[in-house]
Structures are given as C-alpha cells and as structure tokens.
Amino acid sequence: MQDMSADETVRAALQLSHTRLRKQHELVVEFGVKSLKAADLDDLLTRACSTVARGMNTRFAKILKLVPEDGDFLLAHGVGWDESDIGSARVGADEASPAGYAFATDRPVISNHLGLEHRFRTPSLLKKYGIERAINVPIRGTSGPYGVLEADSPDGDDFIETDLVFMEGIANVISMAVDRMAANEEAQGHHLYSESILNASPDCVKILSARGEIEFFNETGLCQMEIDSFDRIYGQPWVDLWPEESQHTVSDAVQRVSAGESVRFESYCPTAKGQPKWWDVTAAPIFGQSGEIEKIIAVSRDITERRNHEAELASLIEQQHNKLTKSDLHLEEIHHRVKNSLHLVNTLLLLQANLAVEEAVKIQLQTAAGRVVTIATVHERLYQSADVQSVSAAEYLQALLCDIGKAFGEREIVLHVDAFPLPPERMAPLGLVISELITNSLKYGKGTITVRVEDAKDHALIVVSDQGDGFPESYPKPSGTGLGMRLVKSYSGYGNAAVSVDRLVEVSTIRVRFKL
C-alpha cells in the first residue's frame, strides 16, 4: 500500500508540472496571436505583464525600460504594483541588480532567495512589496536591447528553469510586436510576423498558408526536425511532414484553424532522419486587416523526454501492480490455508471430546474447540477487510455472533452495538472477548443472551447479560482453569480493572471495559 501511495504522489506531481507547462504554453501562443493584431503598444505591454502574472501564479509582473541619462530602469508597465509606482518607480540598472545583470549580459536570471543573495542587492522597490523571488528576462530587439521582463513573488513555490522558457516566449513576442510596430509593417502590407523574432523562439514555429502549406519554418524547428534545407519543405502541405498515424489529427487541426478556431493537440512525428519525437502543438489563425484568415501559426514543443518519462513511470507502476497482485494472491492462499488448518484443529478437538471419558476433560476440549472456531472466524473476517483502514463494529460483531450462534447452539443472542469505527488490529481482541463472555453465558446462564457494546469515547463498554440468577459473591474470581477470564482481562487492555459484575439487577450481568 505504501508503494502505491508513493506512485500516486509521483503521478500527482508529474500531473501538476505538466498542467503548469501546458498552461504557460497556451498563454504564450494566445498572447502571440493577440499581439499580431495589436495596434497600441502600451496596451500590449500591460497585457504582457498580466499574462506573465497568470503563467507564473503571482500578482507581480513588470517591464523595465532603461533611462539612459540616469542609468536606471523605469517601471514602465506592470500589474500588482501601486498605480503611483507604475511610470515613476526606478530600479538600478547596474549589474549588482538582477534586472541590470540580465540586461547587460543578455541572459535570464532567477533568484529565489533575494534576502540571502550574494550575487545581487535587493532593489528598494522589491523590499517595499516584500518580494522574495524574482525572475528577469531581457527583451531583445532588432536594433538593440529593449528592456527587461520581470516576474516577482513574495511567497509561493520557487521559480524553476522551465519558467524561463515561458518568460522568454513572452519576451520574444514583445520584441516581435515592437519590431513590427516600429517598422509599420501593417501599414506597408508586409508579413504579419518577424522572422528574426520567430527564429529566437526555443520552440518549433511554422507559418502556414490558410490552406496549410508551409511558408516559414524557424531555425530552431529546422534543427529539431533535422531538416537540412527549408527549400525541401517550402510550399508542401504541413500534414505531409507527419506520419500516417498522425495525419488525421493534423488535417483536422488545419481545418478547424482555417475556420477560425485555435486548437491544441499532442502527436507523434519523427525527424527527417528518423529520430522518434513527440510534440505538443498549438495552432491558431492569423487575421489580416480585412478580418480574413491569411495565415496559420503553429507552435510545436518537443515533449519526447516527458513522454518517455511517463512511459517509464507507467511501466514501473504496472510492474509494481503485478508484484502486488501476485503478493495478494499468495497472501490470500496463506489465509485460506490458515483458515482450513484452524477448522481442522477444531474438528480434532471435538473428536477428542467425544472420545473423552471424564466429563471435565470433555468440557475443556469442547471449550477449546469453540475458541478455535472463534479465532478462525475472526481471522477470516480480518483478511477479508485487510485493505480497509477501519470497519463498522456493528457489522463485524453481527456477522461474528451469527457464526458463534451456529457453532454453540440454538439459544437466542441479541446484539446492540453503537456505531463507531474499529481499527483492524482491535477486531480480533474484541471478537475473542465477546466470544468468551457469550460462551460463559451459554455454559452457566440461561435464556436469551443480550450483548451491548457502547461507545464510551476512549473505550468501548461491553455488557453481556442473560436470564440466569446472577454471579456468586466471589466472581469474577476465576473458576476451573480460569483461562477464559484471563483472556478477557488480557485482550481488554485494562487487565484486572477491566471486569466488573452488576449486582443491582436481577439477571446475570457482566461489564468489560475494552480499549480501542
């Protein structure tokens, strides 16, 4: 059971990670498509900050722009910050600040413990908001660095390496939009995308015609697909690059995007040189100025490693399941043999009792045989409920007393049990204690036997009565061998303090405190 719990924990962790990656991937594609139609740069940059905050599960995101004459960054756009800080707050642009280092080196920076950082100082703006974690990504431009995209968090999980892919994707889209707007591509009717920016993407990016023919393949995609020359695939239907088993999925995606829908799917496609690959693909329409769908953008992320890990995990889980199944079968066989052995012992004891000459010996052998039957019954119910954390005391005792009634005769046994859960490890002791008390009533009492098991919070109170004349003054002093009463005291958990006799009632009544 522990192994299965560990498997579930690993599976849940993987699912959480995959969900986060899928969400970030979809946000990048969604933001990229919207940026192609954006005309207001300020609005687009604020939208970029909002998208980053959603993808990073934080309230704080911002875009910093360099103020050359002061040598500082300006908090130009952001979400989560006070309105008074946006457009006025300054952050140091030297390499001793995380943002300055990212800008100067053109490399992303993650810092999950700003207060303990030896590399950088914590900017006063971040101290003001109690920021503990920051991730900075440079926003590149065709003519030079544009600024820095930053996500900040005062709490929550650490930022991780895969978050850099998401942040760089948003930064690349910003660069593309800035480049497009600066060059006024929409007004001149040029391409609705910038090849230089798409080439900076870490994913495989394709631009297709509205019918699905390949018009552009970024350099990363050519490398990942091991395609030597773009000329080999230019103008081909995108669906032809996929193996036969995946072509229906891809063809359906192209048709849906051509109708104005954004789609996402996972499918298998080997490289041009036969290297097996799995891809997570998002495709969306690109609208022209007239509102018609002019192009299709398709972004494919290589998820081969993830799929391989999932396959390995599934294989390990299946192997573990097979082992547990075999163990369960062996355990069930052992339980069955134990049960048969106990019943054989019961039969041998009864046979000895029938052959015994002395009445006292016969009675002791019959009593022993009865105890063996009780143990066998308890054992059977134990292993039938082995995978349950707790069982109903009422259901368990009702079934057990039914078995005891069949084994010991025709006298009526009435059971009243409060509803309370019973740990499996206390099932057998409770069954044996009640069995001994009932056996005592069957031997020495008369009439209907009433059994009550009351929930007393930290223990159970067992009350067994019959229509006999009551107990002698010396009781519960053991009579005969006294084995039955010693068993009751031992299994109750309270020793000599467990048993008491109620002498205020006219019928025979004995009470036992039972530790839960």
Side-chain angles (χ1 to χ4, degrees):
M1 296 298 291
Q2 291 179 348
D3 289 339
M4 291 300 290
S5 177
D7 291 337
E8 291 299 325
T9 301
V10 172
R11 197 198 304 257
L14 285 173
Q15 181 62 38
L16 184 63
S17 175
H18 297 164
T19 301
R20 179 171 177 170
L21 287 172
R22 282 195 292 269
K23 175 184 175 183
Q24 291 178 343
H25 187 195
E26 290 170 357
L27 286 172
V28 170
V29 174
E30 177 187 348
F31 178 66
V33 172
K34 290 180 179 178
S35 75
L36 295 174
K37 297 183 289 182
D40 187 322
L41 182 59
D42 287 335
D43 180 70
L44 180 68
L45 296 180
T46 300
R47 184 190 297 272
C49 295
S50 178
T51 302
V52 167
R54 288 171 58 194
M56 300 296 289
N57 294 322
T58 182
R59 293 187 296 119
F60 299 96
K62 61 180 180 286
I63 291 176
L64 300 172
K65 292 191 65 177
L66 185 66
V67 182
E69 57 270 23
D70 296 336
D72 290 332
F73 283 123
L74 173 70
L75 199 170
H77 302 84
V79 293
W81 316 95
D82 292 342
E83 288 294 330
S84 59
D85 285 330
I86 298 176
S88 61
R90 300 293 184 101
V91 175
D94 59 297
E95 293 189 25
S97 77
Y101 183 85
F103 187 83
T105 62
D106 197 32
R107 294 170 56 189
V109 177
I110 295 178
S111 182
N112 284 310
H113 306 283
L114 284 172
L116 303 176
E117 269 284 4
H118 298 294
R119 299 177 298 170
F120 313 113
R121 67 174 182 273
T122 302
S124 58
L125 177 67
L126 301 189
K127 291 180 179 179
K128 173 182 174 181
Y129 290 87
I131 300 299
E132 294 291 337
R133 277 165 283 284
I135 181 169
N136 291 267
V137 173
I139 303 173
R140 304 172 180 90
T142 54
S143 59
Y146 178 80
V148 175
L149 178 64
E150 180 173 339
D152 303 291
S153 174
D155 50 30
D157 296 332
D158 286 354
F159 296 138
I160 57 178
E161 295 296 328
T162 54
D163 291 331
L164 288 175
V165 178
F166 166 65
M167 294 280 289
E168 288 191 312
I170 298 294
N172 287 339
V173 173
I174 293 172
S175 299
M176 179 179 68
V178 171
D179 183 57
R180 173 175 60 81
M181 292 179 182
N184 198 19
E185 288 181 352
E186 287 185 334
Q188 299 177 24
H190 289 170
H191 285 309
L192 298 177
Y193 56 90
S194 168
E195 294 185 6
S196 61
I197 299 302
L198 295 182
N199 280 328
S201 172
D203 294 323
C204 177
V205 182
K206 286 80 58 184
I207 300 296
L208 316 175
S209 70
R211 295 190 305 273
E213 293 97 350
I214 298 171
E215 294 187 352
F216 171 79
F217 224 94
N218 73 339
E219 294 175 0
T220 302
L222 292 173
C223 180
Q224 290 179 342
M225 285 295 295
E226 297 184 312
I227 298 172
D228 297 330
S229 171
F230 175 64
D231 293 338
R232 292 178 49 194
I233 58 174
Y234 176 75
Q236 289 187 21
W238 182 41
V239 67
D240 289 351
L241 267 61
W242 295 80
E244 184 177 353
E245 63 266 28
S246 302
Q247 287 184 355
H248 174 75
T249 300
V250 178
S251 178
D252 177 70
V254 171
Q255 291 179 13
R256 290 166 60 189
V257 175
S258 297
E261 183 182 351
S262 296
V263 300
R264 180 177 172 274
F265 62 90
E266 292 185 7
S267 197
Y268 171 76
C269 182
T271 68
K273 297 181 180 180
Q275 184 74 15
K277 294 273 189 179
W278 277 88
W279 306 90
D280 184 337
V281 184
T282 302
I286 300 176
F287 296 91
Q289 292 180 338
S290 62
E292 297 290 327
I293 297 175
E294 293 189 358
K295 308 288 182 185
I296 294 174
I297 181 171
V299 181
S300 304
R301 175 163 294 182
D302 185 355
I303 59 169
T304 307
E305 184 177 2
R306 192 200 85 191
R307 292 288 298 221
N308 290 340
H309 288 165
E310 288 176 346
E312 291 174 4
L313 179 60
S315 176
L316 290 172
I317 292 174
E318 181 64 23
Q319 292 176 21
Q320 187 65 26
H321 176 72
N322 291 337
K323 289 180 181 178
L324 290 173
T325 301
K326 290 179 181 179
S327 298
D328 289 342
L329 291 173
H330 291 322
L331 191 58
E332 185 176 348
E333 176 64 22
I334 291 172
H335 286 316
H336 185 69
R337 292 185 182 184
V338 170
K339 173 188 170 185
N340 289 343
S341 298
L342 289 171
H343 281 291
L344 177 60
V345 172
N346 168 258
T347 301
L348 292 174
L349 287 171
L350 290 177
L351 180 61
Q352 281 294 116
N354 291 334
L355 295 176
V357 177
E358 297 182 16
E359 187 64 23
V361 174
K362 179 178 293 188
I363 291 174
Q364 293 301 328
L365 288 171
Q366 289 173 341
T367 301
R371 289 189 179 118
V372 171
V373 168
T374 302
I375 292 171
T377 302
V378 171
H379 175 80
E380 181 176 8
R381 300 199 181 282
L382 269 174
Y383 77 75
Q384 286 176 347
S385 305
D387 58 343
V388 180
Q389 294 300 314
S390 64
V391 295
S392 167
E395 293 178 6
Y396 164 61
L397 291 176
Q398 190 66 57
L400 180 61
L401 294 193
C402 180
D403 294 334
I404 293 174
K406 293 176 182 177
F408 286 93
E410 299 299 327
R411 280 177 54 189
E412 184 180 7
I413 303 176
V414 179
L415 175 67
H416 302 284
V417 185
D418 288 348
F420 62 91
L422 183 66
E425 63 268 19
R426 295 298 286 162
M427 286 173 60
L430 181 62
L432 288 169
V433 167
I434 292 179
S435 175
E436 286 296 333
L437 296 175
I438 292 175
T439 301
N440 199 50
S441 288
L442 288 169
K443 288 167 60 178
Y444 303 112
K446 58 184 178 181
T448 299
I449 301 173
T450 301
V451 180
R452 297 200 313 275
V453 183
E454 302 171 0
D455 183 9
K457 304 306 179 185
D458 63 334
H459 69 279
L461 180 62
I462 305 167
V463 182
V464 178
S465 60
D466 59 51
Q467 296 171 329
D469 298 329
F471 294 90
E473 291 295 330
S474 60
Y475 200 82
K477 179 181 178 181
S479 61
T481 63
L483 177 60
M485 192 52 59
R486 287 202 298 271
L487 287 174
V488 170
K489 293 177 180 179
S490 174
Y491 285 126
S492 72
Y494 289 104
N496 292 329
V499 182
S500 63
V501 172
D502 190 346
R503 303 187 189 279
L504 299 179
V505 295
E506 296 179 356
V507 296
S508 302
T509 302
I510 187 170
R511 300 172 180 270
V512 175
R513 295 168 64 224
F514 182 84
K515 186 175 293 186
L516 297 178

